Amino acid sequence: MAPSISPIFDSLDVTNFAVHQGNGVKGLSELGLKTLPKQYIQPLEERMSSMSHIVPESIPIIDMANWDDPKVSDAICDAAEKWGFFQIINHGVPIEVLEDVKKATHRFFGLPAEKKGKYSKENSSTNNVRYGTSFSPLAEKALEWKDYLSLFYVSDHEAAARWPSQCKDQALEFMKRSDDVIRRLLEALIKRLNVKELDETHETLLMGSKRINLNYYPICPNPELTVGVGRHSDVSTLTFLLQDDIGGLYVRKIDDSETWIHVPPINGSIVINVGDALQIMSNGRYKSVEHRVMANGSKNRISVPIFVNPKPSAIIGPLPEVLESGEKPVYKQVLYSDYVKYFFRKGHDGKDTVEFAKI
């Protein structure tokens, strides 16, 4: 039976129910609301329906079947420079691994609120496991229509002990099966930056830590008034995203602030995007691009991103190899954990975070 809540939503009722009691937007959706609570109504300029242009273009789709073909590496690097986003097919991660982690995501979010709530910021036994809703509820002017489970990977042992049993095996398997693909993508990308190999130092810098999120976007009563995720770029080196067949991810076209491109679901594909860390390390050659997710009025949507990040203690800045030819640095050296803290201290605000690292 759905939990009861007064039909008259004041600020405290909704925020308390969704955020503090752990019901999330899934709980709100299951109340059968006919109208969107005011806490979720986005300013007009942030709504998807007010976007000037949604164009029928497509981000590149790269067939990875023949890794050793130089054309594949060129396509990866070109996409990272000109689009910041691309999809990969025939990447080698088995389809059953992708399907299993999608089922596990539905399984976790199908739990009662009190069971999910055990992993909230207030209740979780570790900072590495966090269930929540929206992005940063205390900092946002309007809440986002999304619930999430965030799992920071430390070790298999810690994951086995602390991650929720409904999804830990599947999330771990997805991460492990993705590792070789991520490594090969980074090898291709850094080669164009004059880095000869992904040695131990570069590995720590580029992929020293990983986090996997299970995202849940329930049916929304007025999707045109809100967003699933607001405009932002990721703070990662790379993001390795599995989306289901619903759709709703939009990417801003580079050098055209008014144009957005839908990223259509392709069965078995993975969406790759450049994060701020790689933009900084490439001195702006590779582009970390704004993206957002539209809320849906008829279907529940999920997505499972793996965020491939520098080690929190890493100092990031333009790679020395990039500056060897005399190119002037656009970004300063910053402690990665400081950059991430700055990102999470505010609501989603497009590309503003990267200004933190500019000289």
Side-chain angles (χ1 to χ4, degrees):
M1 187 175 164
S4 61
I5 186 171
S6 164
I8 302 166
F9 291 111
D10 61 34
S11 182
L12 184 64
D13 280 335
V14 168
T15 306
N16 195 42
F17 177 80
V19 178
H20 304 305
Q21 292 175 14
N23 292 288
V25 285
K26 184 173 187 286
L28 287 172
S29 178
E30 288 172 349
L31 293 173
L33 304 180
K34 301 298 181 203
T35 56
L36 189 73
K38 66 178 185 292
Q39 292 82 357
Y40 291 89
I41 297 176
Q42 293 287 329
L44 195 59
E45 65 275 12
E46 296 299 335
R47 297 179 202 169
M48 299 292 287
S49 55
S50 69
M51 295 189 308
S52 304
H53 301 102
I54 298 176
V55 295
E57 284 185 74
S58 174
I59 63 169
I61 297 164
I62 302 173
D63 189 336
M64 314 295 284
N66 185 2
W67 275 105
D68 299 323
D69 186 342
K71 288 180 184 170
V72 173
S73 289
D74 285 343
I76 290 165
C77 297
D78 289 347
E81 287 185 21
K82 296 169 187 169
W83 297 86
F85 265 81
F86 53 98
Q87 295 206 64
I88 57 174
I89 57 174
N90 296 320
H91 41 69
V93 182
I95 193 83
E96 58 269 23
V97 171
L98 307 182
E99 293 305 313
D100 284 350
V101 77
K102 286 193 277 190
K103 285 176 196 163
T105 302
H106 281 289
R107 194 158 54 237
F108 175 80
F109 286 102
L111 291 172
E114 59 272 16
K115 290 199 172 175
K116 289 181 290 195
K118 287 196 295 190
Y119 302 101
S120 68
K121 183 179 179 181
E122 295 74 23
N123 302 326
S124 182
S125 62
T126 169
N127 284 334
N128 298 332
V129 178
R130 182 69 49 82
Y131 161 72
T133 189
S134 193
F135 172 66
S136 184
L138 296 178
E140 289 164 319
K141 292 174 185 165
L143 298 173
E144 298 176 351
W145 196 260
K146 180 190 86 167
D147 298 333
Y148 66 88
L149 176 70
S150 184
L151 304 166
F152 185 86
Y153 178 80
V154 175
S155 68
D156 286 3
H157 176 75
E158 202 249 16
R162 301 289 184 86
W163 291 13
S165 61
Q166 294 78 14
C167 57
K168 66 182 174 188
D169 292 342
Q170 296 78 14
L172 266 176
E173 186 68 6
F174 179 42
M175 286 186 83
K176 285 184 173 176
R177 292 301 194 108
S178 304
D179 203 51
D180 186 50
V181 188
I182 290 163
R183 186 178 299 276
R184 286 180 169 216
L185 288 167
L186 286 171
E187 283 171 347
L189 288 162
I190 64 172
K191 197 170 179 185
R192 189 173 280 191
L193 299 177
N194 302 317
V195 179
K196 291 180 176 59
E197 62 170 331
L198 188 60
D199 58 19
E200 198 175 326
T201 304
H202 288 102
E203 199 170 298
T204 300
L205 197 58
L206 292 159
M207 52 187 297
S209 67
K210 288 197 186 84
R211 180 163 57 90
I212 184 168
N213 271 26
L214 311 185
N215 295 330
Y216 191 87
Y217 305 89
I219 294 167
C220 180
N222 300 109
E224 71 285 355
L225 299 180
T226 191
V227 291
V229 179
R231 296 179 302 113
H232 72 289
S233 59
D234 294 343
V235 293
S236 58
T237 302
L238 283 183
T239 301
F240 192 90
L241 172 76
L242 172 65
Q243 57 173 348
D244 65 10
D245 60 354
I246 307 299
L249 172 63
Y250 287 81
V251 174
R252 179 168 264 167
K253 193 171 181 182
I254 289 177
D255 299 328
D256 186 349
S257 63
E258 299 300 321
T259 299
W260 292 80
I261 300 162
H262 185 235
V263 180
I266 298 171
N267 188 40
S269 76
I270 298 288
V271 180
I272 307 293
N273 66 275
V274 173
D276 290 355
L278 187 55
Q279 176 171 317
I280 291 165
M281 286 189 268
S282 70
N283 205 36
R285 181 163 190 170
Y286 296 138
K287 307 295 192 297
S288 173
V289 176
E290 276 185 58
H291 50 287
R292 65 208 305 192
V293 175
M294 186 183 275
N296 193 296
S298 59
K299 292 179 178 176
N300 299 318
R301 176 183 184 265
I302 60 152
S303 69
V304 185
I306 298 171
F307 299 101
V308 183
N309 308 312
K311 211 171 182 178
S313 58
I315 305 289
I316 63 168
L319 295 169
E321 294 89 343
V322 175
L323 304 179
E324 266 173 10
S325 61
E327 190 175 314
K328 295 282 183 231
V330 180
Y331 303 100
K332 59 192 176 189
Q333 304 285 320
V334 295
L335 180 66
Y336 184 64
S337 59
D338 285 349
Y339 189 85
V340 173
K341 279 176 196 161
Y342 179 73
F343 177 69
F344 281 103
R345 207 176 290 149
K346 54 195 175 50
H348 281 142
D349 54 7
K351 283 284 292 174
D352 284 4
T353 307
V354 84
E355 298 298 316
F356 177 77
K358 275 201 170 164
I359 288 174

